Amino acid sequence: MLKLNNIAKVYRTTDVQTQALDAINLEIRPNEFVGIMGPSGCGKSTLLNVLGLVDQPTSGEYWFYGENVAGYSEDQLTAVRRKIGVGFIFQSFNLIDDLNVAENVEVALIYRRVAAGERRRRVTKVLEHVGLSHRAKHMPQQLSGGQQQRVAVARALVCEPKLILADEPTGNLDTANGEAVMQMLEQCVGNDTTVIMVTHAEAFAARAHRCIHLLDGRIVDPISAAA
């Protein structure tokens, strides 16, 4: 379970202080599919980064699978991410241009120091799952946008994560490819993975088990968020 107690995130520069998150209280259960919606600049990506242990809150408690990780060092957060398994999917794909499809997926396992034979087995399996086995040796620039996003999904899945964080995963895709990615995320939830997705698409948000609405760094009800 993920539990945030009175989480705040403040960004400070010499002249400016920005309150990105303010008094966030949230519980997310195992195997839940949660959508996050709100206008640009409301704190959606910041919340996702805190949930994924990429960014630390300024104050508050964050209980991550039974462990209060607020205040952990970067090395400690990395160790927790590896232990639990956290996968990220981004709107911009973030593939490495100099690596082919299989190598892009394998990178996540190299960081985890998985043995070479096991890496090959997992990469082969996950590329079959996303329907890209025939593209394993292709470079990212040889793929369509939908195919590139499926590679990004495969990269997130190959580590067999308990938690997947998706930041506008369908934002750069047409309707058909967006639907394909949504079906993959829904299947992840069915396979005992928690999925948290930031989206602007109400139709996709409606397919989550529930949707969190943010406005000015705070959780609000849907009517307030739309006002």
Side-chain angles (χ1 to χ4, degrees):
M1 177 187 290
L2 311 180
K3 185 175 182 179
L4 284 72
N5 292 329
N6 205 32
I7 287 291
K9 178 63 181 180
V10 178
Y11 293 104
R12 294 184 176 93
T13 64
T14 304
D15 302 315
V16 178
Q17 176 173 298
T18 302
Q19 184 91 36
L21 298 176
D22 185 12
I24 298 291
N25 292 288
L26 177 63
E27 290 188 21
I28 297 174
R29 296 179 294 275
N31 309 330
E32 190 175 15
F33 188 1
V34 177
I36 300 176
M37 296 192 75
S40 297
C42 71
K44 300 186 300 297
S45 293
T46 299
L47 178 56
L48 207 67
N49 286 338
V50 169
L51 287 166
L53 309 181
V54 173
D55 207 353
Q56 272 282 27
T58 303
S59 61
E61 296 181 342
Y62 179 22
W63 292 89
F64 186 86
Y65 293 92
E67 192 171 350
N68 184 9
V69 297
Y72 272 24
S73 69
E74 188 172 334
D75 287 344
Q76 287 174 308
L77 293 176
T78 299
V80 173
R81 280 199 306 270
R82 287 178 177 172
K83 179 176 71 174
I84 297 296
V86 181
F88 293 89
I89 305 170
F90 304 96
Q91 177 178 353
S92 57
F93 315 142
N94 288 355
L95 302 181
I96 301 171
D97 290 339
D98 294 336
L99 300 182
N100 64 32
V101 165
E103 291 166 341
N104 263 283
V105 175
E106 186 182 15
V107 161
L109 297 174
I110 293 174
Y111 286 139
R112 290 174 175 269
R113 300 174 185 173
V114 176
E118 176 65 8
R119 292 202 306 267
R120 287 192 294 271
R121 184 192 70 80
R122 287 203 202 180
V123 170
T124 298
K125 180 180 178 181
V126 77
L127 288 180
E128 288 176 356
H129 176 67
V130 301
L132 287 176
S133 296
H134 63 299
R135 298 286 192 180
K137 299 302 181 182
H138 285 66
M139 306 303 286
Q141 57 269 28
Q142 296 176 295
L143 306 179
S144 68
Q147 289 171 332
Q148 289 187 59
Q149 189 60 296
R150 278 190 279 159
V151 176
V153 171
R155 183 180 55 195
L157 295 180
V158 75
C159 294
E160 300 172 355
K162 289 186 179 180
L163 175 65
I164 289 179
L165 299 147
D167 195 352
E168 291 283 0
T170 64
N172 285 335
L173 304 180
D174 60 26
T175 301
N177 282 303
E179 173 63 26
V181 169
M182 284 299 301
Q183 289 179 4
M184 290 178 196
L185 294 178
E186 289 170 332
Q187 188 174 21
C188 290
V189 176
N191 291 331
D192 297 327
T193 298
T194 300
V195 175
I196 305 172
M197 176 184 69
V198 166
T199 183
H200 280 105
E202 292 187 7
F204 289 151
R207 290 165 63 169
H209 297 156
R210 62 188 169 111
C211 189
I212 306 300
H213 291 79
L214 288 183
L215 184 65
D216 297 332
R218 299 179 69 94
I219 294 177
V220 297
D221 62 65
I223 295 175
S224 297

